[in-house]
Every structure is written in C-alpha cells, then in structure tokens.
Amino acid sequence: MPAAAALLLAACEAPKRTAGDAGGPLPVVKPRYVTEKVRHDTDDPAIWVNPADPAQSLILGTDKDADGALYVFDLQGRIIPEKTVRPLRRPNNVDLEYGFLLGGVPTDIAVVTERMSSMLRIYAVPDMRPVDGGGIPVFEGEAGPEHRDLMGIALYKQPATGEVYAIVGRKQGPQDGTYLWQYRLADAGGGRIGAVLVRKFGAYSGLKEIEAIAVDDSLGYVYYSDEQAGIRKYHADPARGNEELAFFGQEGFAEDHEGISLYAEPGGAGWLIVSDQGADRFRIYTRQGPPGQPHAHQLVRTVRVAARESDGSETIARPMGPDFPRGLFVAMSTDRTFHLYRWEDLAE
C-alpha cells in the first residue's frame, strides 16, 4: 500500500474504546509539548496551518485579563514575541478563517472576542496586522446584565459564495432562541473589515452560560456548549433557518460542557471533541450519525488528558510535520499553558 494511502487509512480509524468507557480508570494522555506560560489566564486556542510547510504553522491563544493578549506560539510551544498582540481588554475566544477577500487579496484572518469592550478584534495572519479599524462593536442595543460581555466565537465560510460569518456568544443572554448573533464580515474599504448583523438564533437553558462554539464549514453546521445542559446543533448558513437539529451529550459530564473542536476528514467522516471540564476529560462523538440519522451523534470514547479544567480546544486533521504526523489537538490548561497532543495519542 502506498505510504499516503496507509496514512489516510490510519487517520480514518475510529478512536478506540478503552476500559474507561465502561466506568474503569482512564489512562492520562500526555502532550507532545506544553507551551510557555502566558502572563494571566489562558482560555482558547486556534491553529493557523502554513500552506507551504505545515511544520511551520502557528498556534494562537488568548490570555484572558484586562491587560490581556493574543499570544502566538510555534508548534513546539515557544512564544513568538514579535507576533503576539497586546494589550487586549480581556480577550476570550479566537477563531480563524482562510482566504477572506480584503482589498481583493485573499487574507487569512483571526477574530477575537474582546469582552470588556464588547468588540470583535480582527488580525491578518500570519503577520498579525490589525484589520478592524480599532474594533467592531457587537450585541449593540442589548441592555441585560452581561448581555454584551463577549465570550465564544466561531467563523463560518459559506462554500458556495465564499462569504465569511462570525457567530458570537456572550456571558448571559435571553432564553427566547436569540442567544447567539451572527454577523457577515465584509470589506469596509481602506484595509478594514466590517460586520453586518444577519440573524439571532440559539436556544439557551439558563443554567450557566454559552462559551464554546465550533463550525463545520464543509457540512454547514454550528455546535455550541450550553454549559451544564448539553451540546446544541444548528445550520451555520443563515438561509437554512433556525431549527435546532440536535441536542446531545446531556448525560455523563462531571460539570461544564466546554471547548468543542472538530477532527474533519474527507467525505464527512471525523469526530467532535468536547471538553468535560470538571473531569479533565474530552468526550469524542461521531461527526455524523448513522445512515438516515445525520444528527444522531454517538459517543465513541472518553479521553483523560494532562491539561487541567480545559475551557477551549482546537484540532487539525492533517499531517503537521514530524511531531504530529496524523494531526494536532490543542487544549487550554489552567496552569497558564496550552497542551499540544498528537491525534493518534487521543485516538489509540
């Protein structure tokens, strides 16, 4: 079998069940690297894949404080000071999208929720140049307590049109199906990106908050953690409507449902990885359900990791150099670091 075919076959294998799935002890999966410590409080990572050399890719991670920052690391966890953005006013979550047309030039962008200013901050990657004109206000007009305190974000690129959307969450919000707001990002001229509100959607239990949001670009779905309740699923394209497609993972979590990431393989195969924050574990679900039940996401494995009380995670399902031959999983840890794992160590 050719080496490339063997690698693809290995990557497509399901995460193997362990004794822990039947209630026994779970072994602790160790990271390949742990990043250097940030100043205050790590929260959420994103991964920028270098198209010329994936081994030279970057990890972006928020440092959540009034004098916070968006840190940039290499794949060995070393801070790159000249790329790190500071100060930011309590940056919470970050997400990346590729090929946004800015001034007619395809530009990779990172979007950060700046909680204390109620604004989105946007940077061109990999040089980390600001392209937001100083920030984009969101949740304008909301007056409830903490209803403009930004939390989660996920970016969605519509495959047919190439339009890029930001789906944004906040610390608290209404229970009338409008907790999340979705904005279309647009070229505002002068090297700046603006945003236009296109819909409000998303059920909320009221139990705690909604922070972790993730988008499956190719299948067109958005997932978010309704903390202490479960994981909710909707269409990412606003033209598809606001019907809730699934509400799963409602049992088995020790405390909060937190960070969500996607190991997306060709043809719709792959896995959803969700943090069981209070137990230092991640629960792995099928990306799609069985035939005829595409929204029946099945739990296939629970993994215990060395990262502590993980809020956020990100996953890349492709070779990322010799250290990560089958993909990279990054998880935040409360010791002011991010942990970098080989995908095969989680799957096997």
Side-chain angles (χ1 to χ4, degrees):
M1 179 184 295
L7 178 63
L8 180 61
L9 177 63
C12 292
E13 292 175 352
K16 295 179 174 62
R17 295 183 181 272
T18 67
D21 296 311
L26 285 169
V28 177
V29 179
K30 300 294 186 181
R32 181 70 176 85
Y33 295 105
V34 175
T35 67
E36 295 176 334
K37 291 183 183 293
V38 305
R39 289 181 183 176
H40 304 293
D41 181 15
T42 48
D43 195 280
D44 187 51
I47 304 168
W48 176 76
V49 179
N50 186 321
D53 182 2
Q56 300 301 313
S57 298
L58 303 174
I59 296 168
L60 283 60
T62 56
D63 182 20
K64 189 172 59 177
D65 191 85
D67 180 31
L70 179 62
Y71 277 79
V72 182
F73 307 88
D74 64 20
L75 291 194
Q76 289 73 49
R78 294 179 291 242
I79 295 170
I80 305 176
E82 64 272 20
K83 292 186 181 296
T84 294
V85 178
R86 61 164 49 94
L88 291 173
R89 299 177 61 197
R90 197 173 176 87
N92 209 95
N93 280 33
V94 59
D95 200 14
L96 278 157
E97 193 54 86
Y98 297 84
F100 179 90
L101 282 179
L102 183 60
V105 178
T107 305
D108 300 342
I109 58 171
V111 185
V112 182
T113 53
E114 191 176 46
R115 183 169 166 184
M116 294 179 69
S117 70
S118 301
M119 293 197 297
L120 301 181
R121 306 304 308 273
I122 307 180
Y123 303 92
V125 183
D127 60 355
M128 305 309 294
R129 168 174 49 91
V131 292
D132 57 16
I136 301 171
V138 291
F139 293 115
E140 292 182 288
E142 293 290 273
E146 300 182 314
H147 281 213
R148 295 196 68 202
D149 288 12
L150 304 191
M151 298 285 280
I153 188 167
L155 301 184
Y156 166 59
K157 188 173 187 179
Q158 215 284 346
T161 66
E163 291 183 322
V164 176
Y165 297 87
I167 299 170
V168 190
R170 57 286 196 39
K171 179 72 172 176
Q172 288 296 320
Q175 293 177 250
D176 61 0
T178 63
Y179 194 103
L180 301 177
W181 287 19
Q182 183 165 350
Y183 295 82
R184 179 174 56 83
L185 302 183
D187 188 336
R192 295 185 303 109
I193 295 175
V196 178
L197 178 64
V198 295
R199 73 162 166 168
K200 305 173 184 180
F201 74 102
Y204 169 49
S205 68
L207 293 177
K208 191 171 182 184
E209 63 196 33
I210 292 169
E211 180 176 11
I213 310 170
V215 166
D216 187 332
D217 271 355
S218 61
L219 297 185
Y221 300 121
V222 56
Y223 301 86
Y224 63 90
S225 288
D226 188 342
E227 294 186 22
Q228 300 184 357
I231 303 124
R232 301 185 187 271
K233 177 183 181 180
Y234 288 78
H235 289 294
D237 188 340
R240 299 292 301 276
N242 297 340
E243 176 191 1
E244 184 170 272
L245 303 174
F247 184 28
F248 61 99
Q250 298 177 55
E251 298 178 351
F253 282 74
E255 192 176 335
D256 291 347
H257 303 69
E258 272 288 357
I260 305 174
S261 57
L262 177 71
Y263 189 87
E265 298 172 328
W271 317 100
L272 295 169
I273 306 102
V274 182
S275 175
D276 184 356
Q277 185 182 35
D280 298 337
R281 300 181 303 190
F282 283 84
R283 298 169 74 82
I284 301 178
Y285 297 86
T286 55
R287 184 182 177 194
Q288 295 196 84
Q293 302 179 65
H295 309 307
H297 300 278
Q298 300 170 323
L299 176 66
V300 295
R301 188 179 179 194
T302 301
V303 180
R304 187 180 174 198
V305 295
R308 301 205 300 261
E309 299 180 31
S310 187
D311 258 4
S313 68
E314 186 61 286
T315 315
I316 293 293
R318 58 171 290 177
M320 295 288 283
D323 283 325
F324 305 100
R326 282 175 48 194
L328 168 63
F329 176 74
V330 181
M332 162 269 179
S333 180
T334 53
D335 59 358
R336 297 188 287 130
T337 67
F338 295 95
H339 289 202
L340 283 59
Y341 296 86
R342 304 189 315 161
W343 171 254
E344 52 267 45
D345 292 338
L346 269 69
E348 296 179 355

